[in-house]
Amino acid sequence: MKSPFLAWRYGAAMALAASLFAGAAFAQDPAAVNPHGDFRADISCASCHTTSGWQPLRAPMDFDHTADAGFALTGSHRRASCAACHVDLQFGEPDVPEDACGACHLDVHQGALAGACVDCHTTTTFRDVDGLQAHLQTRFPLTGAHQQTACVTCHTDDRYGAFAPLENACDDCHHEDYVLAASIDHVAMGFSTGCDDCHTTLGWSGTAFDHERASEGYPLLGAHQYLSCDACHVTPSLAPRFTPSDANDCYTCHEADYTREHAGTGFTTVCLDCHTTDSWDGATFDHDSENFPIFSGEHRGKWNNDCQTCHDTPGQFMAFTCFNCHEHRQSSMDSEHRGVRNYLYDSAACYACHPRGREDD
């Protein structure tokens, strides 16, 4: 049989346990003071505590923070202690929605960025930020080479993520590049300070400069598109090295090319009659209508598809020979032309009598 003292201790312990597990113990006793402040009365002490003592807490606690407090604990919030948010373990505060991050966290951006924290951050860590995606929320999306630029390159005076808004015109950052441009004197030429009028964010090269408008009628076509400016201009002043009369005047710029290939031939100096702006190769010279027919008539398919078959003196297209294909023995030709007035065993004489390449001319 238990002693009266042990019976008293047992009864007191049972009474204490009964009070701890009463769901509305503090609400029923006006004199009792809830150490956790004013919060839902239907949450039992036993949801978090055990009969062994206030500490340690139950693991896991029988408490749904999402449903009971209206605030889902995700990411790093799961590892935070209760007191980290509920000062002095007063669970009635803070009473904030899930997206009101600023109620607990210092805004290191100092109000410079619009939008909510969750637009860029997650609850896992503040540092895991997709900078490109974050910049899409601003007036200056990062494209081209800007995607490879470190934040401090532009945000030079910012510390700890302040990121004060900057002016976003190209010249605001690249004025020195404009003034000191080595290839073209942008200042002297009066070029626009709107870099994107000619350039892209991929790089300074590969400009989309409107040459036709700037030169008052000379578009860059074909192979001309790939020339450096100094091929035709003195840099950085851009003074022209040549002065063609119009966009079709190739000879003024390409006189050396003509002389090298066509000197003494009598060919037209209008390059576009035979060539295109894409390449010197693939010329479309109309030999049949202008001169001796070699693509039609008696000579069709009879030559080697090479100018040198007949024009065997390099670069001298006025000079030609018939004897690379025709009779090599003069005696045979002399016999065949016996009685022909002014006959000569000479290619020019052949052409004089047979201008269309027919034997019966």
Side-chain angles (χ1 to χ4, degrees), residues 71 96-102 116-118:
F71 192 106
V96 296
E98 292 182 27
D99 59 355
C101 307
C117 301
V118 294

Side-chain angles (χ1 to χ4, degrees), residues 189 191 198 209-219 233 238:
M189 295 299 296
F191 281 5
C198 301
F209 176 59
D210 189 346
H211 194 278
E212 183 174 11
R213 178 176 59 82
S215 63
E216 299 181 354
Y218 196 98
H233 298 274
L238 286 190

Side-chain angles (χ1 to χ4, degrees), residues 187-310:
V187 177
M189 295 299 296
F191 281 5
S192 167
T193 56
C195 304
D196 52 2
D197 287 349
C198 301
H199 302 279
T200 70
T201 57
L202 293 175
W204 295 122
S205 60
T207 62
F209 176 59
D210 189 346
H211 194 278
E212 183 174 11
R213 178 176 59 82
S215 63
E216 299 181 354
Y218 196 98
L220 295 181
L221 303 175
H224 295 146
Q225 299 178 70
Y226 308 107
L227 294 176
S228 62
C229 300
D230 60 5
C232 302
H233 298 274
V234 178
T235 57
S237 67
L238 286 190
R241 298 181 185 275
F242 311 100
T243 55
S245 58
D246 56 43
N248 294 321
D249 180 10
C250 310
Y251 182 76
T252 297
C253 299
H254 294 287
E255 181 179 0
D257 298 306
Y258 177 91
T259 300
R260 183 177 60 254
E261 295 294 331
H262 303 314
T265 64
F267 274 14
T268 176
T269 57
V270 181
C271 303
L272 292 175
D273 283 353
C274 302
H275 301 279
T276 69
T277 57
D278 294 322
S279 171
W280 293 122
D281 298 330
T284 56
F285 177 58
D286 190 351
H287 202 288
D288 285 26
S289 64
E290 299 289 337
N291 300 281
F292 190 81
I294 58 174
F295 297 101
S296 61
E298 295 292 330
H299 287 77
R300 180 180 180 182
K302 298 295 180 63
W303 58 294
N304 296 330
N305 202 33
D306 187 332
C307 299
Q308 291 182 352
T309 301
C310 301

Side-chain angles (χ1 to χ4, degrees), residues 120-138:
C120 301
H121 301 281
T122 68
T123 57
T124 302
T125 174
F126 284 119
R127 296 183 179 277
D128 186 16
V129 178
D130 185 340
L132 299 181
Q133 185 64 34
H135 241 278
L136 289 176
Q137 315 297 324
T138 72

Side-chain angles (χ1 to χ4, degrees), residues 103-172:
C104 299
H105 298 284
L106 177 66
D107 179 12
V108 297
H109 306 305
Q110 302 175 20
L113 302 183
C117 301
V118 294
D119 290 341
C120 301
H121 301 281
T122 68
T123 57
T124 302
T125 174
F126 284 119
R127 296 183 179 277
D128 186 16
V129 178
D130 185 340
L132 299 181
Q133 185 64 34
H135 241 278
L136 289 176
Q137 315 297 324
T138 72
R139 298 177 301 151
F140 194 85
L142 297 179
T143 60
H146 294 147
Q147 295 183 3
Q148 311 300 323
T149 304
C151 302
V152 295
T153 302
C154 300
H155 299 281
T156 56
D157 297 327
D158 294 323
R159 296 293 184 271
Y160 311 112
F163 296 134
L166 303 174
E167 297 298 328
N168 64 349
C170 303
D171 190 60
D172 292 322

Side-chain angles (χ1 to χ4, degrees), residues 318-323 342 344-355:
M318 293 296 290
F320 62 90
T321 179
C322 300
F323 303 132
N342 296 325
L344 290 173
Y345 185 72
D346 178 77
S347 293
C350 296
Y351 178 67
C353 291
H354 305 282

